[in-house]
Amino acid sequence: MIVMKFGGTSVKDVAAVRRLAGIVGREKRPRVVVVSALSKVTDALIETGRLAETGDANGAREAVRALHRRHVDMAALVSLPPRRAELLAATDALFADLEAIVRALAVVEEVSPRSADTIAAFGELASSRIVAAALEDAGVSSRVVDARSVLVTDAAHGAAQPDRAATDERLLSLVKPLVDDGVVPVLGGFIGATAGGLTTTLGRGGSDYSAALFGAGLAAEEIQIWTDVDGMLTADPRVVEAPRVVPRISFDEASELAYFGAKVLHPSTILPAVRLGIPVRILNSHRPEAEGTLIAREGAADAEGPAAIACKRGVTRIDIASSRMLMAYGFLRRVFEVFERFRTPVDVVTTSEVSVSVTIDDRRALDGIVAELRGFADVSCEDGMAIVCAVGERLRGDAQLATRILGALEGLPLAMVSQGGSRTNITVVLPDALAKQAMESLHRRFFEKEPATSGATA
Ligand code: ADP
Ligand code: ASP
Ligand code: MG
């Protein structure tokens, strides 16, 4: 059995869902389908909650109605009149509920994390019904299963953690029997519920997590993540012109890349599957014939250079120099305690005898952080920096690779350079305005020896 997860871009409109139905229909293995909300819908739902919170009842209502219309338009997918009427009735009912909830919240001008989850869940509740109806219409026997009755989580609204044992039990009692009967269950990703039945969400991009949890619980032979690019690419297609597909990548490499901006998926979310050795494949729903990327415990054995490069833009560098001549022990602890108190994660760290430099991405607490650090150190900050990193297991075994990577960046003003103990990445920090140039130089050096074989989106 396999799990097929379709991201927001793969369900964004009638044409996309038709493609999805074709892909699921051609697959002959027993399968479970997991879907995201139609693209941008989760953003719109979150914005609707914000409008309600400010008491803008009219704005919130209009936002719900616009979403309702977008979902009603999707019913054009279904040709059989009674089935279309059924989908429309279910869609109308969902959005009537949502409108009532939002109206009530706008009156009290308060949206708790619990209410925010209730609102955000409507995207996947609606998309899963649409996809199940479209599959039926395409002749694939399928049934929508409310993911909230399957994915049991704690009550950490907005970033709920699954109760694996309880979820596995529900998978075996509610989902597996359908698969055994030759029916394709369709579940919304991203959403779950507490044991007491309160709706929760796993955090943004959480549908990948749902797919991994379902795949692990059902002992799937493969998990497919269908998206709008050919797989994990050697660089972000929005930064580098013609990135190539990475055919195979290790879980650790994919994790590092995701952390530094290659957000095709959040690898930590596929950890449940990787731990069990279930291969995860990233595939392009626009070009189903493309090979995609396989994420497995081990990466490509024949990799010559880095597996891929990534960048994270718009970060701030903070230089913290000990006011005394040399760095006393305890200095680093005091520095990092400040970041901890302000709940601000640090991305890259480099140290020298007298100073430590860090980058942060979240500037909200910057003034407070700097004020506290100035109590015991000289501090200077620089906005508009970028992190560029090259990732590859090969860095561990090939002593020259780090030098070759830095060589490709010759002439660029590197403000920080770091190679971690795990030695699967080389990370540099430089002015954001030069990030694209740095990415392009690295890409040319390591990935463009032969003409690129396949582009990004079809
Ligand atoms: P989905 O809606 O399917 O979940 P996402 O937007 O979450 O899709 O992820 C796919 C997007 O990730 C691609 O459209 C691409 O722009 C972006 N991306 C960034 N870096 C990379 C990379 N290295 N490889 C592939 N995609 C990347
Ligand atoms: N719809 C959710 C989001 O946009 C979950 C997902 O698509 O993975 O964050
Ligand atoms: Mg995604």
Side-chain angles (χ1 to χ4, degrees):
M1 191 249 306
I2 66 169
V3 171
M4 308 175 83
K5 177 258 167 174
F6 293 86
T9 48
S10 300
V11 291
K12 69 171 186 215
D13 53 22
V14 166
V17 178
R18 286 225 169 92
R19 275 194 298 272
L20 175 158
I23 292 166
V24 175
R26 280 191 297 276
E27 174 63 59
K28 290 301 167 243
R29 288 172 284 185
R31 52 231 185 272
V32 172
V33 169
V34 179
V35 293
S36 289
L38 314 195
S39 72
K40 307 269 179 348
V41 164
T42 307
D43 291 336
L45 288 165
I46 291 170
E47 179 55 25
T48 304
R50 284 207 193 100
L51 291 170
E53 194 165 29
T54 60
D56 183 357
N58 289 338
R61 187 187 55 236
E62 284 320 305
V64 173
R65 294 199 174 159
L67 284 171
H68 184 194
R69 284 193 296 275
R70 178 158 171 215
H71 286 80
V72 163
D73 289 345
M74 298 294 286
L77 272 162
V78 181
S79 51
L80 202 68
R83 191 177 290 133
R84 189 185 317 137
E86 201 183 310
L87 174 62
L88 282 170
T91 303
D92 290 347
L94 272 177
F95 284 94
D97 278 355
L98 178 59
E99 198 172 314
I101 291 167
V102 166
R103 191 186 315 125
L105 293 172
V107 171
V108 293
E109 298 189 20
E110 197 209 326
V111 177
S112 63
R114 178 170 147 182
S115 305
D117 271 358
T118 303
I119 297 174
F122 276 87
E124 271 74 8
L125 291 175
S127 67
S128 54
R129 277 166 182 76
I130 292 167
V131 167
L135 285 174
E136 278 281 321
D137 204 66
V140 180
S141 171
S142 66
R143 174 104 41 91
V144 63
V145 177
D146 190 330
R148 297 172 302 176
S149 61
V150 176
L151 210 169
V152 185
T153 72
D154 64 12
H157 290 283
Q161 284 303 314
D163 176 338
R164 298 283 302 277
T167 301
D168 288 356
E169 243 169 60
R170 306 273 183 98
L171 283 165
L172 295 182
S173 63
L174 299 171
V175 178
K176 184 158 185 301
L178 292 172
V179 181
D180 290 342
D181 280 349
V183 175
V184 176
V186 180
L187 295 97
F190 175 59
I191 62 175
T194 62
L198 292 175
T199 299
T200 53
T201 65
L202 300 176
R204 296 307 305 272
S207 294
D208 297 328
Y209 199 6
S210 303
L213 291 165
F214 298 159
L218 293 164
E221 66 185 78
E222 177 175 300
I223 296 171
Q224 301 180 340
I225 306 285
W226 290 88
T227 183
D228 64 345
V229 283
D230 276 354
M232 182 69 112
L233 303 171
T234 49
D236 188 330
R238 290 160 298 189
V239 180
V240 166
E241 205 175 305
R244 294 152 161 270
V245 178
V246 183
R248 185 186 172 107
I249 195 163
S250 77
F251 173 75
D252 291 340
E253 289 169 335
S255 300
E256 301 235 23
L257 286 164
Y259 187 74
F260 290 113
K263 291 215 172 92
V264 62
L265 91 173
H266 293 273
S268 60
T269 64
I270 60 160
L271 197 56
V274 173
R275 283 220 178 100
L276 291 178
I278 302 173
V280 176
R281 210 177 274 285
I282 303 175
L283 294 157
N284 188 349
S285 63
H286 297 261
R287 293 197 337 118
E289 68 285 359
E291 281 283 300
T293 298
L294 179 69
I295 304 180
R297 265 189 294 226
E298 270 93 50
D302 55 350
E304 282 211 354
I309 57 177
C311 68
K312 189 165 175 175
R313 315 213 29 188
V315 304
T316 298
R317 177 171 70 124
I318 309 174
D319 283 317
I320 307 144
S322 172
S323 322
R324 280 175 256 148
M325 275 304 280
L326 294 176
M327 219 192 272
Y329 60 79
F331 179 72
L332 288 178
R333 178 179 49 75
R334 290 179 77 187
V335 167
F336 286 107
E337 270 171 3
V338 173
F339 289 93
E340 185 182 356
R341 262 197 303 286
F342 285 94
R343 297 170 161 278
T344 299
V346 160
D347 287 332
V348 184
V349 183
T350 59
T351 62
S352 74
E353 180 63 16
V354 291
S355 73
V356 48
S357 303
V358 304
T359 65
I360 61 168
D361 161 31
D362 178 356
R363 296 171 40 90
R364 280 174 301 178
L366 186 60
D367 291 345
I369 290 171
V370 170
E372 282 212 18
L373 290 172
R374 290 220 162 111
F376 59 93
D378 298 326
V379 183
S380 64
C381 297
E382 204 172 352
D383 292 339
M385 304 298 283
I387 300 169
V388 169
C389 89
V391 172
E393 309 254 346
R394 178 84 198 191
L395 273 159
R396 246 187 232 130
D398 181 346
Q400 300 306 315
L401 184 52
T403 327
R404 281 163 59 215
I405 290 170
L406 291 176
L409 297 171
E410 201 185 321
L412 289 170
L414 306 183
M416 292 165 71
V417 177
S418 127
Q419 176 170 38
S422 71
R423 291 218 284 150
T424 53
N425 79 63
I426 289 270
T427 304
V428 303
V429 175
L430 77 177
D432 190 84
L434 298 171
K436 191 173 162 64
Q437 191 187 331
M439 290 285 285
E440 283 167 348
S441 308
L442 283 170
H443 204 266
R444 228 176 293 122
R445 175 74 181 75
F446 291 102
F447 303 109
E448 293 174 25
K449 281 178 229 152
E450 307 141 42
T453 43
S454 41
T457 310

